[in-house]
Amino acid sequence: MIVSNGALTTIKDVQAYEDERNVEISQVGISGLRLPLEFANGGKSQHTVMEAAFTVTLQKERKGTHMSRFIEVWDMQPKPFSLEGVGILLQDLKTKLDAPQAQASLQFPLFFEREAPVSKAKSLMDFECGIDVELCEDEADSSYTLHLMAPVTSLCPCSKEISEFSAHSQRSHLTITLEFKDFTSFAALEIDQLLKTMESVGSSKLYPLLKRPDEKYVTEHAYKNPQFVEDLVRDLVVLLRERTDLLAFSVQSENFESIHNHQAYAKVNYIF
């Protein structure tokens, strides 16, 4: 209700009207929401910026959802936000929107301190993180998915083998998508440890800040550890398939070639 000229006026709730078309909407809500985010994981928290989508499943008999409530739900979430907080967010969306299912998708960069190998100069390294979750009436139908991208250096084994000296290298974007068995497994993940696992398969890590002794070290280290794009994804699959908290995962690498005007690409889908 609102007050106009001293009188109470009722505002019609059009979204609550009945719809007769008999069509359930799988996801309806808001997308492209860009907000500051304080994210905690592994006992540490950091400030970043997220782009998010929050949606619910709309019953076939309802005309519309209440868009303003998605922002209200996000604003009431405990701070800092975390993987554990995803469960609270989804349940709050279901409750506030009176929906059978709720979904959330968040993308944001994470920053970790990186120390140069020789000079020990410190700087911040960024990685891409994405969360896609759905909470259903039956927990067995719910899904918890995490996406991570870590850039590494890859040096071409063929180039090294056939050249009298030197070998070409490139920056490679390693991306993994993990589908977890349940919420407990999802919430327990330590992201920084997983990123270290991803970086371990490259010819070398990347460093935002390198002095000349560092550059020499990185160049020689990569030369001693050549990796095809195929090697990157296979080595990462070998490490990930030892996990016991996943239903499935995918691994891909996109290598931004230094001697071609195209990328080299490889992907593996793995189901336990």
Side-chain angles (χ1 to χ4, degrees):
M1 293 184 178
I2 60 173
V3 177
S4 178
N5 297 324
L8 291 176
T9 302
T10 300
I11 299 178
K12 294 181 179 180
D13 185 0
V14 179
Q15 289 96 329
Y17 286 3
E18 185 173 351
D19 196 282
E20 298 178 352
R21 285 167 286 188
N22 197 36
V23 177
E24 180 184 85
I25 298 180
S26 302
Q27 291 182 247
V28 60
I30 61 175
S31 63
L33 178 65
R34 191 173 174 87
L35 288 172
L37 172 69
E38 184 180 0
F39 183 74
N41 185 256
K44 301 177 181 179
S45 67
Q46 60 178 274
H47 292 272
T48 182
V49 175
M50 73 167 185
E51 183 165 328
F54 302 133
T55 57
V56 294
T57 299
L58 185 65
Q59 298 90 328
K60 60 186 179 182
E61 68 274 10
R62 296 189 179 179
K63 185 172 183 63
T65 191
H66 294 80
M67 297 295 181
S68 63
R69 296 182 184 177
F70 292 95
I71 301 294
E72 291 174 345
V73 168
W74 174 254
D75 286 344
M76 64 182 272
Q77 294 307 298
K79 306 295 188 297
F81 190 69
S82 64
L83 296 180
E84 293 91 337
V86 170
I88 300 173
L89 170 64
L90 291 175
Q91 189 57 59
D92 288 349
L93 285 171
K94 284 184 60 179
T95 301
K96 188 74 171 179
L97 279 301
D98 188 25
Q101 298 174 187
Q103 307 85 21
S105 178
L106 298 82
Q107 287 79 42
F108 49 91
L110 288 174
F111 299 87
F112 295 96
E113 189 173 74
R114 175 58 46 87
E115 186 178 84
V118 180
S119 70
K120 306 303 179 183
K122 295 179 179 180
S123 54
L124 289 177
M125 183 76 187
D126 65 296
F127 303 87
E128 293 297 323
C129 179
I131 296 171
D132 288 304
V133 290
E134 180 173 36
L135 182 62
C136 302
E137 291 181 294
D138 186 346
E139 172 61 22
D141 296 326
S142 300
S143 63
Y144 306 95
T145 304
L146 183 80
H147 312 273
L148 290 175
M149 191 283 285
V152 298
T153 294
S154 59
L155 184 132
C156 178
C158 182
S159 175
K160 177 180 178 179
E161 182 68 24
I162 65 177
S163 301
E164 184 178 347
F165 50 86
S166 188
H168 76 85
S169 61
Q170 47 275 321
R171 185 170 70 253
S172 304
H173 283 183
L174 279 173
T175 303
I176 62 172
T177 297
L178 309 180
E179 183 181 347
F180 289 83
K181 286 182 176 179
D182 50 38
F183 177 70
T184 300
S185 299
F186 171 79
L189 181 71
E190 291 196 12
I191 293 176
D192 61 338
Q193 296 303 314
L194 185 53
L195 288 169
K196 290 176 182 177
T197 298
M198 295 173 68
E199 290 184 298
S200 70
V201 305
S203 297
S204 173
K205 296 178 181 179
L206 294 188
Y207 298 85
L209 175 60
L210 292 173
K211 299 297 185 179
R212 277 175 292 181
D214 301 310
E215 186 173 358
K216 177 179 185 297
Y217 174 90
V218 169
T219 301
E220 293 173 347
H221 182 77
Y223 189 77
K224 296 174 183 177
N225 297 278
Q227 290 281 71
F228 283 128
V229 67
E230 297 92 336
D231 295 320
L232 295 175
V233 295
R234 282 175 169 152
D235 284 351
L236 195 46
V237 166
V238 168
L239 295 173
L240 290 176
R241 69 185 180 190
E242 298 301 316
R243 300 184 67 96
T244 60
D245 55 351
L246 303 177
L247 291 173
F249 66 83
S250 69
V251 174
Q252 70 177 47
S253 181
E254 186 174 21
N255 292 9
F256 297 86
E257 296 287 290
S258 60
I259 63 171
H260 303 294
N261 65 346
H262 57 260
Q263 286 76 261
Y265 178 82
K267 182 177 182 178
V268 175
N269 295 317
Y270 192 93
I271 301 176
F272 286 89

